[in-house]
Amino acid sequence: MTRVGQAAAKGAAVAWVRNTVDEAIEAWTRLRAAGVDAALFHARFAMGDRLAIEQEVLDRFGRDAPPERRSGSVLVATQVVEQSLDLDFDFMVSDLAPADLLVQRAGRLWRHLDLRPGTSRPCPRPELLLFAPDPAAEVDAKWVTRLSGGTSAVYQDDLLLWRSAKALLAKGELAVPEALRDLIEWVYRPETDDADPQALHRSHAEAGGKQAAERSFADHNLLKVAGGYSRNDQPWQDETSIATRLGEESRILRLARWQDGRLQPWHEHPNPDQAWALSELTVRGNQAQEAAPDPEVPPALLQAARDGWGRYEADRLLVPLHPGEQGGWHGRLLDTRSNLREIRYDRASGLQWWQGA
């Protein structure tokens, strides 16, 4: 965090990339408490808010951002900045990730050498500071989780993470594109050898087994194009069930405001269908099985809202939000074990699993 504040104080455009939304919110909160005016961008915003933040990020860090907007600006983000958005930073801090993804993140450093005529970089060179445990230290099975359980949960193969840190920190620099092939081939080699820590072999084997199972499942569900549109020997399953079974289950929430006896979509739009679509966000399936009963909102109003949705929107969870005493809006969900989960939502930080004041 200190390096982020120091770089911003020198006028650098800074990115701090975290691997989970909760870690991003925590880092953003700490920066703001330290007086650093940072922005936050992740995937747990309602779509309407996310689009507005995305435009703000482009206005600050895009190719055509004016120098006065870039100077000293800080963005805390998750993997949403790895691809698609054309962003340019002077300095970056990143959580440990597989080497190819770190290359993607590093591609946002000094992306446009010709920012604007007459401007110069506040840093002497593009620099990526890697937040990772030391690959040269003694390695045990908790080498990654001890520093960041979120990183291990997201990428699962701790040996792949160790190899990535080992290769990048040994080089001390990333030469693009000439060094990429050797880097990726060494990190992703399928076999283990004496250079790999024995304590991480099990994680690597489990990740490989999971990938093989998913590949087999995908092959089984391939549609044989040569056979035409026939149900004979064709796996014509519901497309949603195939897609979600290959990855972690997710649920789409539709946020609604409950205030002054009215229930309305979180995002305002003259077209009700658009308003509801822009009020959506996605969470992990085990966190949200159904909306919790809300004694303040008449069931008839909840049903009336759902009656206006289309047939393909029937699986959305409608979550009424109430204004909180200390800011933000609060709602409730039931997880897959029927445990009550409280959420807090606002436009600045997005959705948080609320633990109280």
Side-chain angles (χ1 to χ4, degrees):
M1 189 179 80
T2 301
R3 289 291 303 275
V4 171
Q6 291 172 344
K10 293 179 181 178
V14 183
W16 187 357
V17 185
R18 307 304 312 267
N19 287 333
T20 70
V21 173
D22 290 334
E23 288 170 333
I25 294 174
E26 186 267 341
W28 173 78
T29 302
R30 288 171 53 201
L31 284 173
R32 289 174 64 87
V36 178
D37 184 17
L40 178 65
F41 187 32
H42 56 70
R44 223 157 60 195
F45 285 99
M47 182 56 66
D49 295 334
R50 179 170 174 172
L51 292 173
I53 294 170
E54 182 176 301
Q55 187 57 55
E56 172 66 19
V57 168
L58 287 168
D59 291 343
R60 276 200 194 189
F61 304 101
R63 176 169 188 163
D64 299 321
E68 61 272 15
R69 292 297 307 277
R70 290 177 49 83
S71 180
S73 292
V74 177
L75 177 66
V76 181
T78 57
Q79 296 89 335
V80 293
V81 298
E82 279 181 5
Q83 301 179 25
S84 301
L85 295 182
D86 187 6
L87 305 177
D88 185 302
F89 300 98
D90 300 310
F91 176 76
M92 179 181 291
V93 178
S94 174
D95 286 353
L96 177 61
D100 54 326
L101 301 183
L102 289 173
V103 170
Q104 288 277 9
R105 297 177 189 184
R108 271 59 192 163
L109 282 167
W110 289 37
R111 187 173 177 85
H112 302 296
L113 296 178
D114 56 337
L115 274 178
R116 292 175 83 88
T119 62
S120 60
R121 301 275 183 178
C123 305
R125 63 188 181 280
E127 183 177 359
L128 172 64
L129 183 65
L130 188 60
F131 182 64
D134 185 357
E138 184 176 350
V139 176
D140 59 19
K142 296 184 178 180
W143 181 77
V144 177
T145 56
R146 189 175 291 111
L147 181 67
S148 173
T151 293
S152 184
V154 170
Y155 296 113
Q156 300 182 351
D157 189 341
D158 291 352
L159 179 57
L160 180 64
L161 294 171
W162 180 87
R163 288 176 178 174
S164 299
K166 178 77 171 178
L168 290 170
L169 294 177
K171 290 285 186 180
E173 64 179 14
L174 183 61
V176 179
E178 56 269 23
L180 294 187
R181 184 182 183 90
D182 289 343
L183 170 67
I184 300 302
E185 287 183 350
W186 188 82
V187 168
Y188 279 92
R189 66 190 192 280
E191 70 282 354
T192 57
D193 54 37
D194 293 339
D196 296 324
Q198 181 69 34
L200 303 182
H201 283 198
R202 180 176 179 178
S203 170
H204 184 63
E206 290 177 348
K210 182 178 180 180
Q211 290 175 358
E214 291 180 347
R215 188 179 301 111
S216 175
F217 181 77
D219 289 343
H220 176 73
N221 285 282
L222 282 175
L223 299 179
K224 281 66 174 179
V225 178
Y229 293 99
S230 169
R231 288 186 178 272
N232 296 328
D233 301 321
Q234 291 274 29
W236 293 97
Q237 299 185 37
D238 178 78
E239 62 180 65
T240 302
S241 67
I242 293 176
T244 55
R245 282 160 59 192
L246 280 175
E248 188 174 33
E249 295 282 351
S250 62
R251 293 303 302 267
I252 298 176
L253 311 183
R254 283 191 162 178
L255 305 182
R257 302 173 190 268
W258 173 252
Q259 194 172 26
D260 300 328
R262 297 180 59 209
L263 185 70
Q264 54 189 342
W266 170 262
H267 191 87
E268 296 180 1
H269 194 281
N271 183 326
D273 292 338
Q274 284 285 89
W276 282 117
L278 292 170
S279 300
E280 290 184 353
L281 60 82
T282 302
V283 298
R284 295 202 305 270
N286 63 349
Q287 296 175 322
Q289 179 67 23
E290 58 182 307
D294 192 320
E296 296 185 37
V297 184
L301 290 182
L302 294 171
Q303 188 59 50
R306 297 188 62 89
D307 286 344
W309 299 354
R311 57 179 293 196
Y312 297 110
E313 301 166 324
D315 62 340
R316 273 51 168 172
L317 299 184
L318 176 57
V319 184
L321 298 178
H322 303 256
E325 294 181 359
Q326 299 182 11
W329 292 69
H330 296 258
R332 304 191 304 170
L333 292 163
L334 296 177
D335 64 17
T336 52
R337 297 182 179 181
S338 297
N339 296 319
L340 185 66
R341 302 291 304 274
E342 294 198 24
I343 62 172
R344 180 185 185 278
Y345 187 88
D346 64 50
R347 295 187 188 277
S349 58
L351 185 143
Q352 300 179 64
W353 301 104
W354 190 238
Q355 303 299 323

